Structure formats: C-alpha cells, structure tokens
Amino acid sequence: TFAGHLDVVPVGNESDWSHAPFSAAIEGGKLYGRGTADMKGGIAAFVAAALAYRERRGTWKGTLSFLITGDEEGPAINGTVKLLEWAAARGERFDAALVGEPTNPEAMGDAIKVGRRGSLSGTMTVHGQQGHVAYPHHADNPIRGLVSILNRIHAAPIDSGSARFEPSNFEVVSIDVGNPAWNVIPAKATARFNIRFNDLWDRDRLEAWLKTQIEAALQGRIRASLILEAKSADSFVTENATLIGALADAVEAETGRRPTLSTGGGTSDARFIKNYCPVVEFGLVSQTIHQIDEHVAIDDLRQLARIYGRFLDGYFGG
C-alpha cells in the first residue's frame, strides 16, 4: 500500500508568497504551492507510476492499494489511524507500505527513511506565590524555578544517540506566565515542550527522567507539576530487507546514488502504519516544506514517478 496525506500546514502570510499558495503556478521549471513537496507531489508521482505499471504489466501477482488521508499535519486522530482500523476490520492485510513523505535533504537519492524517532509533548508548571514586585519577600517568583529547570535540562545532551538513531532533543515551544502587569510577581510559570527521542527511551523512562530533573533543579524550594500529552509516538526501525532493498535499488538505478538509510527528522504517519506492516518512506526533496513559496522541481516529480515505477517492478517482479 502507498500511504500519503493531502492535508497541509497553514500558508502563513499569503502576501509573502510569490505565487498564490494554491495556484500550482509553474515558473522556471518549478511547481509552486502549499503541499507540492509535503506531500501532494509524492502522491501524484505514485499515482502516475501505478497507472503506468498497470498499463505495462496488465496483471501481476499481488495487489496495490492507496492509503490517502488527511489529518497528518494536525492532531493525527481522524486520518491514517482510523483508516487503518477500518481496513483491518474489513479483513484487509498489508504486506508492506511505502510512504511518500519528502525524505531527501538536498537532492533526489539522498535518503530512505527506515524508521523514526519517538515524540512526546508535555507541559511543566512551576507554582509560586503571587505578590508585589517591591516586596519579593512576601512572594515566591515561579519564573526563577522554571528557568532553573530548563537550564538543568539544557546543560547536557539527553543522550549521544544510538546505533540507528541520532541524539534525542528537548525543545521548549512556549513559555507563558499570563501576567500583563509590570508590578506583580506571577503565581505560576508554564513551559510547553516536545522531546524527539531515540530507541534508548520510551514514554515511562522519559517521564521519570523529567521528574528527576525538576526535583534536582528545585530541591523542594518550590512546587512544580508535569503533564504529558496522551498522544505520543515510540521510535521504530523497519528491518524488512526485501522492502528496503527493492526501494534502494530503484533509487540507485534512477539517480545513480545509493541512498542512506535514515531515521532522522520528524514524525510521520509511518508511526501508525508500522503496527500493521513493515513501512519505508521515500519522496521529494524537503528543503522548502512548511516554508513560504514551497515548491518542487518538475524534473524531480518526473524522476520520483520513475523511481516508484522501478520499485514496483522490483518488488512485484518484472
């Protein structure tokens, strides 16, 4: 099954685009538009490859299906998760999956994704005592405590990576105290964060690690709470040599380059598909995804369709 998503991230300030973000304008051999690389272009290339393969082969031993959804760029609740459950309830079984996410950092043939790091989001809140800034001895500023926690976490890397994964990283995405006044010490300070973690960790171990960092930073001087989001993703690696080999051979035959087997980057719907079958990812160049003036080279689109065609030949035989 070929998996992909048609939903896209917001366009940002539309006036900053050189072409209307959904015009699919072509200029200088490039197709401009939100989602051209992430990942409508990959879907188009695989549809073209599948139609050409059917015309070329007629019939073959095996089945080819499409798992095209929305909600990958959002909460990831009503897209691939529910469609996979629906397919399983109908008795559909997939031997393998190819996700068309943009996997190449610089040029076509750079990398195949054979796994992904895990993702865990959460909120830590330090609870202080509100008071007047001129009388700090009657208050307890929670911002100092939050800064101490974050300084401790960032003082050293979470880990040095593993055999198949790059190091885990902790990133603060928002800090807020909800305080519009200049002369009031706030009652609480909150930080929202995300951790991208490798196979040295899981949700429970990360929660224990975070609590240890919080306790060590505050040393009982002030109270803090930690809430982890219910939705998280574990790291995974695909080990299916037949699937990986067929895709790597197709990429090399078309580009002249043997792609590296990567587990870097963010998350994708592959984190759900891996619970049903082995999954790999290969698509377009990722340099402009989520940016203003997202675009893809027309030549890359055509080459990607040829790569997918070679992959189908190699996987099904022929």
Side-chain angles (χ1 to χ4, degrees):
T1 187
F2 177 83
H5 65 89
L6 286 167
D7 62 316
V8 296
V9 298
V11 300
N13 189 347
E14 189 169 342
S15 63
D16 291 337
W17 287 70
S18 59
H19 305 280
F22 295 105
S23 65
I26 297 175
E27 181 179 315
K30 298 175 181 179
L31 174 66
Y32 286 83
R34 174 59 84 226
T36 50
D38 188 13
M39 60 161 285
K40 296 176 182 178
I43 294 173
F46 203 90
V47 170
L51 291 172
Y53 182 75
R54 187 178 67 171
E55 182 177 354
R56 185 170 69 251
R57 292 293 304 277
T59 61
W60 65 91
K61 185 179 180 181
T63 59
L64 179 61
S65 59
F66 291 85
L67 194 89
I68 309 301
T69 70
D71 199 32
E72 193 274 348
E73 299 288 7
I77 295 172
N78 294 312
T80 295
V81 172
K82 289 188 176 179
L83 188 51
L84 285 167
E85 292 172 349
W86 173 84
R90 289 169 52 91
E92 298 288 348
R93 298 292 182 267
F94 306 124
D95 295 308
L98 171 59
V99 179
E101 288 281 359
T103 58
N104 298 287
E106 302 290 339
M108 296 295 291
D110 279 348
I112 292 170
K113 298 286 187 185
V114 296
R116 293 278 188 168
R117 289 188 300 172
S119 176
L120 179 64
S121 297
T123 303
M124 59 177 65
T125 302
V126 177
H127 305 273
Q129 174 64 49
Q130 183 174 315
H132 197 296
V133 295
Y135 305 97
H137 54 288
H138 291 315
D140 197 351
N141 196 328
I143 298 175
R144 291 195 183 97
L146 184 60
V147 170
S148 295
I149 295 170
L150 298 180
N151 279 341
R152 181 177 179 85
I153 289 175
H154 285 294
I158 298 177
D159 56 60
S160 300
S162 65
R164 298 296 296 271
F165 288 90
E166 59 190 21
S168 304
N169 64 292
F170 173 98
E171 299 299 331
V172 177
V173 298
S174 175
I175 294 178
D176 186 50
V177 295
N179 180 22
W182 292 95
N183 59 350
V184 176
I185 293 172
K188 65 180 181 179
T190 299
R192 296 169 59 239
F193 62 88
N194 178 265
I195 303 176
R196 295 301 167 99
F197 60 93
N198 56 40
D199 53 350
L200 299 176
W201 301 88
D202 59 26
R203 181 189 178 96
D204 291 341
R205 293 189 65 195
L206 280 172
E207 182 176 12
W209 177 81
L210 284 168
K211 289 179 177 178
T212 298
Q213 302 306 308
I214 292 171
E215 291 170 2
L218 299 182
Q219 296 182 353
R221 296 190 303 268
I222 193 169
R223 184 172 64 89
S225 59
L226 175 68
I227 299 175
L228 300 181
E229 294 296 303
K231 184 170 68 75
S232 61
D234 292 328
S235 64
F236 73 93
V237 176
T238 296
E239 304 286 359
N240 189 297
T242 300
L243 178 62
I244 296 171
L247 183 55
D249 289 346
V251 173
E252 185 176 22
E254 181 59 40
T255 67
R257 307 168 62 204
R258 192 71 178 177
T260 60
L261 304 184
S262 170
T263 58
T267 58
S268 73
D269 276 351
R271 69 189 189 271
F272 307 122
I273 299 170
K274 55 92 174 171
N275 296 326
Y276 293 80
C277 66
V279 55
V280 292
E281 303 177 60
F282 185 80
L284 292 162
V285 176
S286 62
Q287 286 186 343
T288 66
I289 64 173
H290 294 206
Q291 295 184 9
I292 299 296
D293 278 344
E294 179 181 355
H295 63 268
V296 60
I298 298 296
D299 287 345
D300 285 356
L301 277 173
R302 291 174 173 150
Q303 187 175 58
L304 182 60
R306 293 194 297 269
I307 290 171
Y308 287 155
R310 288 180 182 272
F311 166 74
L312 293 176
D313 278 331
Y315 186 80
F316 288 115

